[in-house]
Amino acid sequence: MRRLRVIGRLRTTLPRTLRGRLALLALASATAWVAALTVAFNIVLAGRLNSQAADLLQTRAAAVAATVEARPDGTIVVHEPADDRALDVGTWVYRGTTAVERPSAPAALQRQADGLIGRGSRYQEAGGRNASRLYALPVRAGRRQTGTVVVAVSLDPYRSTARAALAGSAVLGLLLLTGVYLLTRTIVGRALRPVAEMSTRAAHWSEPGAAERFGTGHRPDELASLATSLDELLDRLAAVLRHEQLQTAELSHELRTPLARIVAETDWLTARPRDAAGQHASHQAIAAAATTMRHICDTLLSEARARTGRSPGRCRLPAMADHLAEQYGQQHPDAPPLSVRGGAAVTAGVSPALVERMLTPLLDNARRYAATTVTLTYAQTRSGVELAVTDDGPGVPAETGPAVFEPGRRADPDDGHDGAGLGLALARRLARASGGDIEWDPAAAGARFVLSLPAG
C-alpha cells in the first residue's frame, strides 16, 4: 500500500505537459550520464594523484640513497651534496635503528618513520591533521641491509587538488544540466508548436464540418503522418455529421407525419361531434400513429444503448424465435403464417430485447409483402450466428437493391402498405452497434434479409 502511495505521489508530481515530461526525461538521462562521468573522472584523478605522490617518494628516496655509502663493516657514510636542502625536507637516514639524519617532524610522523626501519621497501600512510605518506628504501652492503632511507611527503596538496576538482566538476555538471533542461524545453516546445497549431486548426475545422484539410506537403515525415491521420479523422467526422444530419432530418419528417395525424384526429374529435364509429376510427388512427412513434423512439433508444455498450447479454435463439412466432400469430392472425427453422442450442451475444428490436422490422416487411408464408431461420456460423427472414413476395426491385436500407427509402411508396421507411435503416443501425450487420440477399427468391450477430 505504501508503494502504491509513493507511485501515486510521483505521478501527481510529474509535469502535465508533454514538453515538461520530455525535458524531465532528458534531464534525468543527462544527470545519470554526467554523474557517471564525474565519478569516473574523480576516480581517475585520485588514482593519478596517488601515482604522482608515489613517484615523487621513490625519486626522492633514490636521490637520498645515492648520497649514502654503506660499508662492509656496517657503517654508513652520508655524502652531503652541494645543495641538499631539497633532500633534507622530510628525509630520515638510519644506520640500523639509529637515525643518522632526521628532519624536524611531529612526534606522530617520527613514530611512523621509526616503524619502517628494517621492514624492506614499503609505503605507509600517516593520518592526522597533516596527512602524509612515507616510503622506506633499504640501504644494503652486499646482501645485508645496513640502513634505511625514509622519505615523507605531505598529501594535503594532492587532496586539495582532488577536492577542488570534485567541486569544479560538480558545479560544471550542475551548469551543464541546467543548460540541458532549458535547451530541451525550448527545442521540444518549438518542435511541438506545429502539432499544437494543427490540433487547434483541426478542432476549429471540426465544429462547422469544414472541408479544409492539412495535406502532407512541406512537412517532416512525422508531421505528415499526423496530418494524414487528422485528415482521415476529419473525413470520418464529416461523414458522421452528414449522416446524423440526414438521419435527423428524415426522422423529423417521419415523426411529423404520425404526429400530424394525431393532432388532426384530436382536432376533429374536439371540433365537432362524431358518432361511435367515427370516434372509434379516430381512436384507432391515434393509437396507430402513437405506436409508430413509440416504435421509432424505442428502436433509436435501443441503438444508443447498444452503441455505448450498456446493454450486454445473451439470447437463446430457439426461445426468441418461438416467442416472436407466437406474438406474430396473435397480432396478425390474418397474415401469412410464420414458420421457424433452426438448431436446438444457438445463442447470440446480444440481449433478447435488442434481438427482438432488430427482427421486428424484418418480420413486418415480410408480413406486408409475403404471398403465402414467412420463414425465420437461425444457425450457428464460424464468426457468430445468423438469422434470416424470408418471404415469397415480389422481393426487392433490382434498381433499389441495398438502397432499401436508406432512412425513409421504400421500394414502392405507392404499394398501399403502411410504414415510414425507417424500419430497415434503424434495424441495421442497431445491428451494427451490437457488433453485427443486416444484409439483403439479392440471389433469393422473394425477399431475404440476413441478420448476423456475435455468438454468445
Side-chain angles (χ1 to χ4, degrees), residues 103-279:
S104 177
L109 187 60
Q110 182 64 49
R111 287 193 297 270
Q112 294 282 348
D114 293 341
L116 292 174
I117 300 173
R119 301 178 64 181
S121 178
R122 63 183 302 168
Y123 294 96
Q124 185 167 326
E125 299 287 339
R129 184 174 182 181
N130 297 316
S132 302
R133 178 177 295 176
L134 294 89
Y135 175 68
L137 180 65
V139 178
R140 300 180 185 275
R143 295 184 178 181
R144 187 180 62 166
Q145 180 177 349
T146 59
T148 306
V149 174
V150 179
V151 293
V153 64
S154 176
L155 296 179
D156 288 341
Y158 299 95
R159 294 184 176 179
S160 177
T161 301
R163 288 193 295 269
L166 178 61
S169 59
V171 172
L172 181 62
L174 289 176
L175 293 176
L176 179 62
L177 292 176
T178 302
V180 166
Y181 180 74
L182 296 177
L183 185 61
T184 303
R185 281 185 62 91
T186 302
I187 293 175
V188 172
R190 291 184 178 180
L192 293 179
R193 190 176 301 167
V195 179
E197 293 176 356
M198 291 172 65
S199 178
T200 303
R201 291 167 62 186
H204 176 71
W205 290 345
S206 64
E207 292 178 358
E212 290 86 351
R213 295 295 182 266
F214 294 102
T216 58
H218 306 292
R219 288 190 178 89
D221 292 342
E222 294 81 0
L223 292 183
S225 176
L226 176 61
T228 301
S229 300
L230 288 176
D231 287 344
E232 293 176 355
L233 181 61
L234 289 172
D235 289 339
R236 290 196 296 268
L237 182 60
V240 171
L241 288 175
R242 288 194 300 269
H243 178 74
E244 294 298 332
Q245 291 171 355
L246 178 63
Q247 182 81 5
T248 301
E250 291 168 343
L251 286 175
S252 299
H253 174 73
E254 297 300 334
L255 288 175
R256 188 182 296 112
T257 300
L259 182 60
R261 181 69 181 275
I262 292 175
V263 172
E265 293 292 342
T266 304
D267 290 340
W268 289 342
L269 285 174
T270 57
R272 55 183 180 179
R274 305 182 69 180
D275 56 13
Q279 291 182 0

Side-chain angles (χ1 to χ4, degrees), residues 346-372:
V346 181
T347 304
V350 183
S351 66
L354 290 179
V355 176
E356 183 175 354
R357 295 285 183 196
M358 299 174 207
L359 288 175
T360 299
L362 303 181
L363 293 174
D364 287 342
N365 278 357
R367 172 183 57 82
R368 293 189 185 102
Y369 296 101
T372 59

Side-chain angles (χ1 to χ4, degrees), residues 240-260 289 291-304 307 361 405-409 419-430:
V240 171
L241 288 175
R242 288 194 300 269
H243 178 74
E244 294 298 332
Q245 291 171 355
L246 178 63
Q247 182 81 5
T248 301
E250 291 168 343
L251 286 175
S252 299
H253 174 73
E254 297 300 334
L255 288 175
R256 188 182 296 112
T257 300
L259 182 60
T291 301
T292 300
M293 294 178 64
R294 185 184 65 182
H295 176 71
I296 295 173
C297 295
D298 289 346
T299 303
L300 289 174
L301 181 61
S302 299
E303 186 268 339
R307 183 169 49 191
F405 290 103
E406 296 177 1
R409 182 68 175 269
L422 295 175
L424 293 178
L426 295 177
R428 171 176 268 190
R429 284 170 59 93
L430 188 56

